[in-house]
């Protein structure tokens, strides 16, 4: 099956031999091609170029994109998309002034979700998560990392990861699974947190590895959750099973999480609201992607990660939605793109690189996704009729995506019924 996308007003992120990620000043570079074509053969991008140089003529299907920009579909490298129920009632407490940590201390937050998960069957969790996957695809996401972490028992965590495995098999989106047994301490271990860490190490990790259910391992390494020492023990246990860390760090304090992540060769350290000079120095020249979650800062009214400072220091940054019922109940990456520009003051080019090229790296799929490159998977967005790419972060809140193509197939067409 050969598809031609013709007359593309502007093709974004063309890159013949992409770096693994873009960092520092390079984040403001975005290569583009005006009046372009792109050819998809089955699931791959096989060619692109200027319309005037198109030589082939035989295609099974042609999509005219004269009013549209075409770009790689977004990668969302940090989500908790499998969850039992939304938590809008708890959110009222937040409106009334309670902090995320205060809600957590009262047994709300993650523990609230962990209680609910017991009542839900794997089928229930699968159905609701699949709906959310369809929703994020309609906003242009083509790849997503999904964490466990609302089970907090061996059975509960395995249940979540089995659901993620089914989603991987059935959804067209590219999915990576992250084991987050160390998301919160269950109440029965409150007086003996070390015992819960032992359970993660001795029971959960071997069970997860035995069923081959996770690509990555995560720990919420932060004030009031898991310490640096506990995080290290867990990451070392994961490393025995080749589970690469992608961890929550420095959301609530200078927790040492960033240093711990880099020390253990984390693929990414995520959140990073509390990042100072020391943390930046440690990240510099490491292969760990700083992944920022502006949706959580926005929703919880936390401070924002010092994105500009990080870029000036030469670091790369990726952004993710953190889609979850407590701190970021939205998986709309176009909104994340806008928050990147509105709140971090990222240039449109920097914001776009952070949710495509660098986000692909942060979930370990940079060889197949994130740029328009011959041989990469055809995970693409065709936009509605918009004037230019600067419009994407600027015109916030609206869905600017017309079509989402995943592995060569149009899975979303937002204008079909118009
Ligand atoms: O990334 N920070 C820790 N975990 C999630 C929140 C999960 C929840 O509240 O349900 C986060 O923000
Ligand atoms: Fe998270």
């Amino acid at each position: 099956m050969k598809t031609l996308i013709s007359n593309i007003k502007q093709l974004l992120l063309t890159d013949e031999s992409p770096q693994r990620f873009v960092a520092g000043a390079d984040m403001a570079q975005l290569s583009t091609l005006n009046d372009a074509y792109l050819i998809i053969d089955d699931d791959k991008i096989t060619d692109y170029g200027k319309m005037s140089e198109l030589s082939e003529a035989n295609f099974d299907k042609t999509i005219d994109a004269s009013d549209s920009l075409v770009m790689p579909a977004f990668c969302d490298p940090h989500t908790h998309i499998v969850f039992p129920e939304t938590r809008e009632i708890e959110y009222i407490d937040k409106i009334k002034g309670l902090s995320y940590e205060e809600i957590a201390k009262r047994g709300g937050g993650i523990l609230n979700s962990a209680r609910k998960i017991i009542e839900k069957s794997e089928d229930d969790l699968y159905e609701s998560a699949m709906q959310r996957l369809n929703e994020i695809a309609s906003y242009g996401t083509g790849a997503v990392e999904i964490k466990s972490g609302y089970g907090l028992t061996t059975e509960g965590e395995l249940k979540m990861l089995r659901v993620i495995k089914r989603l991987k098999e059935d959804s067209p989106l590219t999915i990576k699974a992250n084991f987050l047994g160390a998301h919160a301490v269950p109440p029965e271990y409150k007086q003996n947190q070390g015992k819960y860490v032992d359970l993660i190490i001795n029971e959960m990790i071997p069970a997860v590895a035995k069923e081959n259910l996770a690509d990555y391992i995560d720990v919420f390494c932060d004030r009031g959750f898991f310490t640096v020492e506990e995080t290290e023990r867990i990451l070392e246990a994961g490393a025995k099973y080749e589970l690469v860390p992608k961890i929550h760090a420095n959301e609530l304090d200078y927790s040492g999480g960033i240093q711990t992540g880099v020390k253990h060769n984390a693929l990414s350290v995520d959140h990073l609201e509390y990042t100072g000079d020391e943390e930046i120095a440690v990240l510099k020249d490491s292969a760990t992607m700083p992944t920022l979650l502006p949706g959580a800062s926005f929703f919880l009214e936390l401070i924002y990660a010092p994105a500009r400072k990080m870029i000036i220091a030469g670091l790369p940054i990726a952004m993710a939605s953190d889609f979850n019922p407590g701190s970021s109940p939205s998986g709309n990456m176009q909104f994340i793109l806008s928050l990147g520009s509105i709140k971090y003051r990222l240039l449109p080019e920097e914001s776009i690189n952070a949710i495509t090229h660098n986000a692909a790296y942060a979930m370990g799929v940079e060889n197949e996704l994130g740029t328009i490159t011959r041989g990469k998977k055809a995970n693409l967005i065709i936009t509605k009729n918009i004037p230019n790419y600067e419009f994407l972060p600027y015109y916030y809140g609206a869905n600017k995506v017309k079509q989402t193509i995943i592995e060569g197939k149009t899975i979303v067409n937002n204008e079909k019924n118009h």
Side-chain angles (χ1 to χ4, degrees), residues 220-241:
F220 189 5
C221 180
D222 226 321
R223 186 182 69 205
F225 288 83
F226 292 87
T227 66
V228 164
E229 291 70 30
E230 290 165 343
T231 304
E232 296 212 295
R233 284 184 59 210
I234 294 168
L235 298 187
E236 276 159 21
K240 292 198 187 116
Y241 297 93

Side-chain angles (χ1 to χ4, degrees), residues 78 80 83 87 90 94 100 109-111 113 147 150 180 183 220 222 225 248 251-252 271 293 296 300 322 324-328:
H78 180 136
H80 308 251
F83 58 80
R87 305 208 304 259
E90 185 181 285
K94 208 164 288 156
Y100 185 72
I110 297 163
L111 295 181
S113 289
K147 299 168 193 300
Y150 294 125
L180 176 55
H183 198 190
F220 189 5
D222 226 321
F225 288 83
H248 286 73
E251 175 185 6
L252 306 170
H271 273 292
L293 314 175
L300 298 179
D322 196 15
N324 75 73
S327 68
S328 190

Side-chain angles (χ1 to χ4, degrees), residues 203-275:
E203 203 176 289
M204 292 190 195
I205 293 175
V208 168
K210 190 164 169 224
E211 284 188 50
N212 203 8
L213 290 173
D215 302 294
Y216 301 112
I217 184 162
D218 197 345
V219 177
F220 189 5
C221 180
D222 226 321
R223 186 182 69 205
F225 288 83
F226 292 87
T227 66
V228 164
E229 291 70 30
E230 290 165 343
T231 304
E232 296 212 295
R233 284 184 59 210
I234 294 168
L235 298 187
E236 276 159 21
K240 292 198 187 116
Y241 297 93
E242 289 169 19
L243 290 171
V244 175
K246 267 173 69 62
I247 69 168
H248 286 73
N250 297 48
E251 175 185 6
L252 306 170
D253 205 349
Y254 294 97
S255 60
I258 294 177
Q259 290 87 332
T260 308
V262 172
K263 180 172 162 197
H264 291 270
N265 299 315
L267 180 58
S268 71
V269 285
D270 304 11
H271 273 292
L272 316 191
E273 283 78 2
Y274 290 85
T275 301

